[in-house]
Amino acid sequence: MSEAKKTVFIKTYGCQMNVYDSDRMADVLAREGYRPVESPEGADLVVLNTCHIREKAAEKVYSEVGRLKPLKEHARKAGRTMQIAVAGCVAQAEGEEIVARAPIVDAVIGPQSYHRLLAVLARAAQGQSAIDTDFPDEDKFDHLPKIGGNGTAAAGQNGPVSAFLTVQEGCDKFCTFCVVPYTRGAEASRPVEQIVSEAERHIARGAREIMLLGQNVNAYHGAGLDGGDWPLARLLARLSDIPDLERLRYTTSHPRDMSDDLIAAHRDLPRLMPYLHLPVQSGSDRILAAMNRQHSADDYRRLVERLRQARPDLALSGDFIVGFPGESDTDFDETMRLVADIGYAQAYSFKYSPRPGTPAADAADQVPDPVKAERLQRLQELLQAQQTAFNAAMHGRTMDVLLEKPGRRPGQLVGRSPWLQAVHVDAPADIIGTIVPVRIETIGANSLFGSLTGPAAARSGQASDRDAIGAIA
Ligand code: SAH
Ligand code: SF4
Ligand code: F3S
């Protein structure tokens, strides 16, 4: 490792996998002596880890690069260099166009090349072409530093209570609206052994929950401990055996890959949390077919029914696209009907955004923006009402909360319910990382507020401090 103490500011856009990747890039950079900082001012390197999923996501990157221009200029005048690297899915999709449009960008690196980040930056420093958007033959995971290992950004420190762990990457589904198969490449799964060892490293650093990540996580089929391919259900069962790993989650799943053994895992594995993100995108069979989702709305209804039979308290989350090309009022009504039938605890919904290079972008029957806007508003009102009702039903209940970190007020901690709701509670900091029973007393717009019950409450002496609870609701 070089002696020089350089600093890097990493800004992350997009999905949880980008959050995971940013940490991995920080680890690679630590090998060269880079220390992460919280702002781009004065940083030697700025990495923008970008998302390409919708038009706005990509445009944000170019405005951010524009904002960095005076900082880079300032560094140059002071005799320093500030390198700017664009990573992530915009990097992969646009490659050298980025440098053509924003010449102050020094390096462009796609998600499958992060183990080569230092080499790319070195080429940039020498004024050579520094664009690496290959899908290399070697597996980046074999070359990335181990989580929390010597010389990484977080060596010797505790990690998060809830840690992300990428187990599968890429997508072969080619939904007609989506860039992911082009930006992340073909579906690939990490071997079970590598995942178990990474999970154990997280646990040793204080994690109690692991969120397995993949663009199609339930299509996971990695090399198992017995030499054969293991599906996600078997991986979950193996991870469930790790002592001190209290909670497991996985995201994002495709309805088509929700296999019988995975449904059974929701019944059989108590550590698998009763919350599932299962995007359906639309409730219209015509639109689902045009999207190449390869299932019907009723297939999805039946699937949810089977999941709820396996785990009656399972809460669902989803993604929806409104205004996909050709979507009529009747198609949209079908989406509203499906949402009403399912009842979501939480969901994301978007206006369809045509992405260059995807089949739907060329469809003739694009839906006008005002129509998309009106549909989105109606859908979001319904989804919001469902979320509010789901949260309101928690009032007065006592639930297990995994305490993750200090809250916004001194003396307050924030954690997660089994259903991924943020829960604020007055509690001493030394019980961060434990699961405690919390009685829910106030329902906020985006989180719940409660007080400790049981032994932890007696110890903290704060269970009756009711005035404080909900003060910031
Ligand atoms: N792999 C996941 C989704 C990944 S992208 C799945 O198959 O469900 C996250 C979400 O972004 C998608 O579920 C979709 O709702 C939304 N999305 C993707 N492409 C989009 C586009 N072109 N316009 C609007 N929303 C889009
Ligand atoms: Fe995109 Fe479809 Fe793949 Fe999900 S399954 S990442 S929406 S192509
Ligand atoms: Fe965005 Fe790439 Fe994730 S496009 S949603 S950062 S996989």
Side-chain angles (χ1 to χ4, degrees):
M1 197 204 302
S2 115
E3 283 306 303
K5 270 290 165 207
K6 294 181 274 190
T7 56
V8 55
F9 172 68
I10 305 183
K11 181 156 181 171
T12 310
Y13 303 81
C15 60
Q16 291 107 323
M17 194 173 287
N18 265 9
V19 175
Y20 175 90
D21 288 346
S22 287
D23 287 347
R24 299 287 70 73
M25 282 193 272
D27 287 344
V28 169
L29 291 164
R31 284 182 170 166
E32 242 342 273
Y34 281 96
R35 180 172 56 83
V37 288
E38 298 294 315
S39 109
E41 278 88 21
D44 298 294
L45 170 65
V46 174
V47 179
L48 302 178
N49 191 9
T50 63
C51 173
H52 202 239
I53 202 80
R54 285 168 291 276
E55 193 179 357
K56 274 195 194 134
E59 282 311 311
K60 272 188 207 158
V61 177
Y62 287 106
S63 1
E64 185 66 28
V65 171
R67 279 195 292 275
L68 293 173
K69 204 170 178 177
L71 295 182
K72 187 167 172 124
E73 191 57 17
H74 184 76
R76 193 183 60 78
K77 285 189 183 140
R80 294 185 296 108
T81 345
M82 178 192 188
Q83 281 190 306
I84 300 176
V86 175
C89 291
V90 176
Q92 188 63 47
E94 303 206 345
E96 54 197 34
E97 271 174 50
I98 297 176
V99 186
R101 190 167 155 187
I104 67 162
V105 170
D106 299 277
V108 176
I109 185 159
Q112 301 312 333
S113 303
Y114 293 153
H115 55 302
R116 311 203 291 213
L117 179 57
L118 292 175
V120 173
L121 291 172
R123 287 209 300 275
Q126 309 207 323
Q128 295 167 11
S129 165
I131 295 165
D132 189 342
T133 51
D134 289 351
F135 289 106
D137 287 339
E138 77 272 12
D139 180 355
K140 69 176 168 187
F141 291 109
D142 290 335
H143 300 272
L144 287 169
K146 301 234 179 316
I147 305 275
N150 284 341
T152 58
Q157 296 168 20
N158 266 351
V161 170
S162 176
F164 290 148
L165 201 173
T166 294
V167 301
Q168 177 279 338
E169 200 171 345
C171 181
D172 296 338
K173 299 270 190 309
F174 292 93
C175 301
T176 54
F177 52 81
C178 183
V179 291
V180 170
Y182 312 96
T183 64
R184 291 277 167 174
E187 245 173 37
S189 297
R190 296 176 71 186
V192 173
E193 196 180 353
Q194 207 183 67
I195 294 165
V196 171
S197 123
E198 192 166 314
E200 284 170 347
R201 296 181 83 92
H202 277 301
I203 301 301
R205 300 175 68 233
R208 292 294 170 265
E209 172 177 288
I210 298 222
M211 167 83 94
L212 304 182
L213 302 180
Q215 269 85 37
N216 276 286
V217 72
N218 57 345
Y220 176 86
H221 57 101
L225 299 176
D226 55 7
D229 260 13
W230 282 21
L232 186 65
R234 257 188 110 176
L235 174 66
L236 288 165
R238 172 62 189 87
L239 292 170
S240 269
D241 289 340
I242 299 179
D244 294 334
L245 204 181
E246 311 271 7
R247 289 181 167 189
L248 275 167
R249 303 178 188 274
Y250 61 91
T251 199
T252 293
S253 297
H254 193 295
R256 265 172 67 199
D257 292 318
M258 213 64 223
S259 54
D260 293 350
D261 58 346
L262 188 52
I263 296 173
H266 282 275
R267 180 193 64 211
D268 299 336
L269 300 177
R271 290 175 172 185
L272 185 54
M273 289 295 100
Y275 180 91
L276 183 63
H277 185 61
L278 193 61
V280 64
Q281 316 297 354
S282 168
S284 151
D285 287 346
R286 219 172 58 82
I287 297 297
L288 285 169
M291 287 176 163
N292 191 29
R293 295 291 289 185
Q294 303 199 19
H295 64 78
S296 68
D298 277 347
D299 291 338
Y300 185 83
R301 285 185 178 88
R302 278 190 291 269
L303 175 58
V304 168
E305 203 176 294
R306 288 173 60 215
L307 279 158
R308 284 178 166 155
Q309 271 161 13
R311 181 82 205 226
D313 64 343
L314 187 83
L316 282 162
S317 148
D319 291 342
F320 297 89
I321 295 178
V322 300
F324 183 82
E327 186 187 70
S328 65
D329 284 339
T330 319
D331 293 317
F332 177 68
D333 288 345
E334 291 287 289
T335 299
M336 294 290 278
R337 196 163 67 84
L338 181 65
V339 171
D341 287 351
I342 300 292
Y344 287 90
Q346 206 263 338
Y348 302 94
S349 45
F350 314 97
K351 284 195 245 176
Y352 168 69
S353 169
R355 308 309 290 133
T358 60
D362 298 327
D365 42 1
Q366 300 289 330
V367 174
D369 193 66
V371 177
K372 289 184 196 172
E374 191 266 337
R375 288 180 188 164
L376 185 65
Q377 194 189 343
R378 279 173 56 201
L379 176 60
Q380 289 187 338
E381 274 167 19
L382 177 58
L383 289 167
Q384 185 56 54
Q386 292 190 338
Q387 181 173 342
T388 305
F390 181 77
N391 288 340
M394 302 290 159
H395 191 264
R397 282 177 64 174
T398 297
M399 59 174 70
D400 283 346
V401 173
L402 173 57
L403 296 169
E404 289 186 12
K405 54 189 177 199
R408 278 168 283 178
R409 266 194 310 103
Q412 190 185 54
L413 302 182
V414 59
R416 294 272 172 187
S417 77
W419 305 280
L420 213 58
Q421 295 141 307
V423 181
H424 297 262
V425 59
D426 281 3
D430 67 346
I431 60 171
I432 287 178
T434 62
I435 295 179
V436 291
V438 172
R439 197 182 125 82
I440 301 304
E441 287 156 346
T442 307
I443 311 292
N446 296 307
S447 49
L448 311 177
F449 298 81
S451 57
L452 296 179
T453 65
R459 204 165 59 76
S460 81
Q462 289 177 345
S464 58
D465 184 10
R466 280 163 184 262
D467 292 345
I469 289 159
I472 56 161

